[in-house]
Amino acid sequence: MPDRSTKTTMGTEDMHERKVSVEPQDSHQDAQPRGMFHNIKFFVLCHSLLQLTQLMISGYLKSSISTVEKRFGLSSQISGLLAAFNEVGNVSLILFVSYFGSRVHRPRMIGYGGLLVATAGLLMALPHFISEPYRYDHGSSDNRSLDFEASLCLPTTMAPASVLSNGSCSSHTEAKHLTMVGIMFAAQTLLGIGAVPIQPFGISYIDDFAHDSNSPLYIGILFGITTMGPGLAYGLGSLMLRLYVDIDRMPEGGINLTPKDPRWVGAWWLGFLISSGLVVLASSPYFFFPREMPKEKHEFHFRRKVLASVASTASKGEDLSSQHEPLKKQAGLAQIAPDLTLVQFIKVFPRVLLRNLRHPIFLLVVLSQVCTSSMVAGMATFLPKFLERQFSITASFANMLLGCLTIPLVIVGIMMGGVLVKRLHLSPVQCSALCLLGSLLCLLFSVPLFFIGCSTHHIAGITQDLGAQPGPSLFPGCSEPCSCQSDDFNPVCDTSAYVEYTTPCHAGCTGRVVQEALGKSQVFYTNCSCVAGNGTVPAGSCESACSHLVLPFIVLFSLGAGLASITHTPSFMLILRGVKKEDKTLAVGMQFMLLRVLAWMPSPVIHGSAIDTTCVHWALTCGRRAVCRYYDHDLLRNRFIGLQFFFKTGSLVCFTLVLAILRQQSREASTRTTVKSSELQQL
């Protein structure tokens, strides 16, 4: 038997021989030119574009939510549920990503996920192609031929038969409506399922094969490009909603609607087709990436210069530890998941979840993020609709304001929070103080929003006239001889009295003229018995008396959203520094899962339900409530901004408690240190 020294010598010689044999192969591999699909930088570019286009699809529905409501007769509660339904598919599968992450071909799974997202986008547009052309006047079977007669004041004996009927409400009609809505809900579920592997697998793939020092830079670039997705979605919505919904099947005589008409429905479906095509293009390269690629050998030269310019060794150590954080998270994931069976993984997860939820810092920070995410989810889904109703602007202009002002300020806020944490090397106490300051300023910017707006103008037969302006009360029974249908909707405005009528018939109008000016046609209704002097009224709703306040409102709202987004990075750091090292990976996964379950899923439904309670006149379709025609503007403003204020207050309270707990822990730690030092001095 050889002795221990002999075995050691032999082992050393074997290792030396292996090194000699391996080194030429490594140098030979480095010398060989690799294709772009073996380049992690190209993967980062592809993944940035895929996440950008994926967020365009998920954000595009929110940009056209009020249009979809009008087109398919949905309440805000149902549309909010539709907007949040993609989270159902996401939450149902996101947990298993932690288990299967190291067992599958990640690039291919990302590619399949992208194709599912594109399929979901095409499915969202399908109801447009299988439904009948949009009819904007419910009083006739063909609004383009009978709109003139259906809207005017005619004696009962002269009224068209289609006007006198309440429409065809067969079971087939209702079944078709439910089919359209069901297709959109299925598409949203598929969208959530397709998005499951995209971000987690992409980040872990980058972290595995990028140089340790370059990984944080790549992930930062990835998130920087990705955050532009919602802004592009609102920009795309602004462009598409300027086009008429049936642009692919326009009637021969054209239409007499403009985007300012409350009956206007834009081409909501076209954005889904464009976004789906972009997702297919962005998903294609993933089927050519290898399951594993060579580890990146070199860091960027400018990164070495930046790291060399750091003043203190301590700050260097902190920077490097933060840079290696994504690698540590993935390493922890690799340590936990591959060693467990699926059943064991499911059994372990609840115990880790309960252990983290009993941690006060983790629980309070997650609750504050739930409040902030609830505020953001409600804002992203219904702020365009709120602006449309409150300030009488078009859906296109509302989306442009959000995409050009609110979303960029949110991105700036997230970046500013990260820069402050990085440059100032903030401790957990300082991070919580920064979160508290951002939440407080956001809350203060919300207070004036309660007072920026105006009341609903007088709508004949629906709202009570609170002023002394002349209205239908001066002409009682002026439209009684007319055979007006209560479910018709073709609003006209008496500009002299600032009174709106739901149809020319309700205004007692018997004639119609079309005036051409500057290439545009304007419709006027004449001989209106409910208007002083049997005057003439223009088609369309009355303009809001406070439409000029939309810019001050959106500026204040956007500044508040930007200040709230400053808390994003420091609150994330509080979670990473507040849990055990072995729990960090699952803690981050739990955080995102709780945000989806407690914020992104219920918040749009809560906001939509609150908006529905402010409706004063519902459109009826086959005896059921469909889309809301008119809202109480004061109540709408108070409840929508009040919900936002409630969630902002909750976030502020949670960060206040976090700061108090961390300060108490800091004082206790300093007391223990003082006691120990005094005991050592006595010894």
Side-chain angles (χ1 to χ4, degrees):
M1 295 289 292
D3 57 10
R4 183 176 301 174
S5 60
T6 306
K7 287 200 293 186
T8 304
T9 305
M10 292 171 61
T12 306
E13 289 176 355
D14 291 341
M15 289 177 62
H16 179 70
E17 289 176 2
R18 282 196 296 269
K19 286 184 179 180
V20 171
S21 62
V22 168
E23 284 176 1
Q25 293 178 4
D26 289 344
S27 61
H28 180 66
Q29 288 177 1
D30 291 339
Q32 287 181 345
R34 294 194 182 100
M36 59 182 180
F37 293 106
H38 288 76
N39 189 331
I40 194 64
K41 298 182 185 66
F42 184 65
F43 182 89
V44 172
L45 174 63
C46 292
H47 205 62
S48 300
L49 295 176
L50 178 59
Q51 287 198 182
L52 178 73
T53 53
Q54 180 245 322
L55 283 179
M56 281 183 65
I57 285 190
S58 56
Y60 182 76
L61 175 62
K62 296 177 175 63
S63 72
S64 54
I65 199 76
S66 62
T67 302
V68 172
E69 285 180 11
K70 282 191 283 188
R71 180 65 183 90
F72 296 102
L74 305 179
S75 65
S76 294
Q77 184 184 46
I78 299 299
S79 65
L81 181 62
L82 177 63
F85 216 70
N86 66 310
E87 302 295 344
V88 174
N90 200 291
V91 169
S92 61
L93 296 177
I94 190 67
L95 180 61
F96 298 100
V97 171
S98 299
Y99 178 77
F100 290 107
S102 57
R103 292 171 163 82
V104 296
H105 193 300
R106 284 174 289 182
R108 287 183 186 171
M109 290 300 296
I110 294 171
Y112 291 136
L115 293 181
L116 277 179
V117 169
T119 304
L122 296 176
L123 202 58
M124 279 297 298
L126 180 62
H128 167 75
F129 297 99
I130 62 176
S131 62
E132 298 293 328
Y134 172 59
R135 294 183 172 89
Y136 50 81
D137 182 12
H138 293 285
S140 64
S141 58
D142 185 352
N143 59 2
R144 291 180 290 275
S145 61
L146 294 178
D147 178 57
F148 171 71
E149 294 183 358
S151 300
L152 297 180
C153 175
L154 297 174
T156 304
T157 56
M158 297 176 59
S162 60
V163 176
L164 297 178
S165 66
N166 194 28
S168 175
C169 293
S170 63
S171 58
H172 173 73
T173 304
E174 281 296 284
K176 193 168 185 179
H177 173 266
L178 292 176
T179 301
M180 303 297 175
V181 178
I183 288 174
M184 290 191 287
F185 273 96
Q188 283 291 95
T189 306
L190 192 63
L191 176 62
I193 294 174
V196 167
I198 293 178
Q199 181 170 313
F201 285 172
I203 292 177
S204 64
Y205 194 83
I206 292 171
D207 204 37
D208 281 350
F209 303 116
H211 190 277
D212 293 346
S213 297
N214 293 340
S215 177
L217 175 64
Y218 291 152
I219 294 175
I221 293 172
L222 174 67
F223 282 113
I225 296 176
T226 299
T227 49
M228 294 188 293
L232 291 178
Y234 285 105
L236 182 63
S238 177
L239 293 175
M240 296 300 104
L241 296 182
R242 295 178 186 178
L243 306 174
Y244 184 62
V245 60
D246 289 326
I247 191 174
D248 58 329
R249 45 187 177 183
M250 290 287 283
E252 295 180 2
I255 58 171
N256 292 321
L257 293 182
T258 65
K260 280 200 168 187
D261 194 298
R263 297 172 296 167
W264 173 271
V265 171
W268 60 274
W269 53 274
L270 194 53
F272 285 112
L273 297 184
I274 294 173
S275 301
S276 298
L278 294 175
V279 171
V280 170
L281 292 177
S283 303
S284 302
Y286 285 91
F287 297 98
F288 302 97
F289 282 106
R291 179 168 183 162
E292 296 180 356
M293 68 169 60
K295 180 84 172 178
E296 193 178 31
K297 300 293 183 183
H298 308 290
E299 67 173 318
F300 289 148
H301 294 291
F302 77 91
R303 274 196 68 85
R304 285 202 292 265
K305 292 179 181 178
V306 171
L307 292 176
S309 64
V310 179
S312 63
T313 307
S315 62
K316 280 185 181 179
E318 184 172 348
D319 288 344
L320 289 173
S321 65
S322 64
Q323 290 168 3
H324 287 290
E325 194 65 47
L327 187 62
K328 289 178 181 177
K329 287 190 287 184
Q330 180 61 23
L333 182 65
Q335 291 171 3
I336 295 173
D339 296 334
L340 301 175
T341 65
L342 181 59
V343 176
Q344 291 173 333
F345 180 78
I346 295 174
K347 289 181 179 179
V348 166
F349 180 78
R351 292 202 297 268
V352 179
L353 175 62
L354 291 175
R355 183 165 68 238
N356 284 318
L357 289 179
R358 285 196 294 265
H359 194 292
I361 300 300
F362 177 83
L363 179 61
L364 287 171
V365 172
V366 168
L367 285 178
S368 69
Q369 290 181 336
V370 165
C371 291
T372 303
S373 297
S374 297
M375 181 264 294
V376 173
M379 175 199 74
T381 307
F382 289 111
L383 182 58
K385 177 178 180 175
F386 175 84
L387 296 176
E388 292 175 47
R389 296 292 185 168
Q390 190 70 219
F391 302 104
S392 297
I393 62 175
T394 64
S396 175
F397 185 54
N399 282 317
M400 187 182 71
L401 289 176
L402 230 70
C404 295
L405 189 60
T406 307
I407 302 297
L409 282 178
V410 169
I411 295 173
V412 170
I414 294 174
M415 294 174 61
M416 186 179 296
V419 169
L420 290 174
V421 172
K422 180 76 173 177
R423 296 295 297 272
L424 301 179
H425 309 295
L426 299 182
S427 65
V429 174
Q430 293 169 327
C431 283
S432 62
L434 177 60
C435 292
L436 180 62
L437 179 62
S439 298
L440 179 61
L441 292 176
C442 174
L443 196 67
L444 293 178
F445 272 88
S446 300
V447 174
L449 300 179
F450 285 100
F451 309 101
I452 302 179
C454 52
S455 302
T456 306
H457 55 273
H458 183 202
I459 304 165
I462 295 175
T463 61
Q464 295 296 325
D465 191 4
L466 302 178
Q469 296 175 336
S473 58
L474 297 180
F475 310 100
C478 60
S479 61
E480 282 185 4
C482 308
S483 55
C484 303
Q485 293 294 304
S486 59
D487 57 347
D488 285 355
F489 187 64
N490 181 16
V492 295
C493 179
D494 180 1
T495 54
S496 60
Y498 202 56
V499 176
E500 183 171 327
Y501 301 88
T502 54
T503 66
C505 180
H506 288 88
C509 303
T510 60
R512 189 182 89 156
V513 295
V514 180
Q515 294 182 359
E516 298 288 340
L518 300 176
K520 295 182 180 179
S521 60
Q522 175 68 49
V523 179
F524 291 90
Y525 293 91
T526 59
N527 299 324
C528 303
S529 59
C530 296
V531 179
N534 286 341
T536 300
V537 293
S541 292
C542 296
E543 291 287 338
S544 172
C546 53
S547 57
H548 60 285
L549 296 177
V550 63
L551 288 180
F553 182 94
I554 196 64
V555 167
L556 280 176
F557 198 100
S558 301
L559 287 174
L563 289 168
S565 63
I566 290 177
T567 66
H568 180 269
T569 301
S571 63
F572 190 75
M573 295 306 298
L574 286 173
I575 289 179
L576 290 178
R577 296 176 183 179
V579 299
K580 295 180 180 180
K581 289 184 178 180
E582 62 268 20
D583 290 344
K584 279 187 179 181
T585 302
L586 288 179
V588 173
M590 292 171 198
Q591 172 203 8
F592 287 110
M593 188 186 71
L594 291 173
L595 290 182
R596 283 184 165 91
V597 173
L598 300 179
W600 292 100
M601 285 176 62
S603 179
V605 182
I606 293 171
H607 280 79
S609 300
I611 290 173
D612 283 343
T613 61
T614 67
C615 183
V616 294
H617 178 62
W618 291 92
L620 297 178
T621 301
C622 296
R624 63 172 179 82
R625 290 195 319 183
V627 66
C628 181
R629 298 294 192 196
Y630 295 104
Y631 292 92
D632 183 332
H633 289 178
D634 289 332
L635 201 57
L636 174 64
R637 184 174 63 256
N638 290 333
R639 292 191 177 175
F640 182 78
I641 302 300
L643 263 179
Q644 297 277 300
F645 194 87
F646 171 78
F647 288 124
K648 293 172 185 178
T649 304
S651 179
L652 179 67
V653 170
C654 290
F655 281 129
T656 303
L657 294 175
V658 169
L659 181 59
I661 292 173
L662 288 176
R663 281 184 172 177
Q664 180 65 27
Q665 292 177 350
S666 179
R667 282 195 294 268
E668 292 176 355
S670 61
T671 302
R672 286 194 297 267
T673 304
T674 304
V675 171
K676 286 183 179 180
S677 60
S678 61
E679 290 176 352
L680 290 174
Q681 288 177 358
Q682 291 176 0
L683 293 175

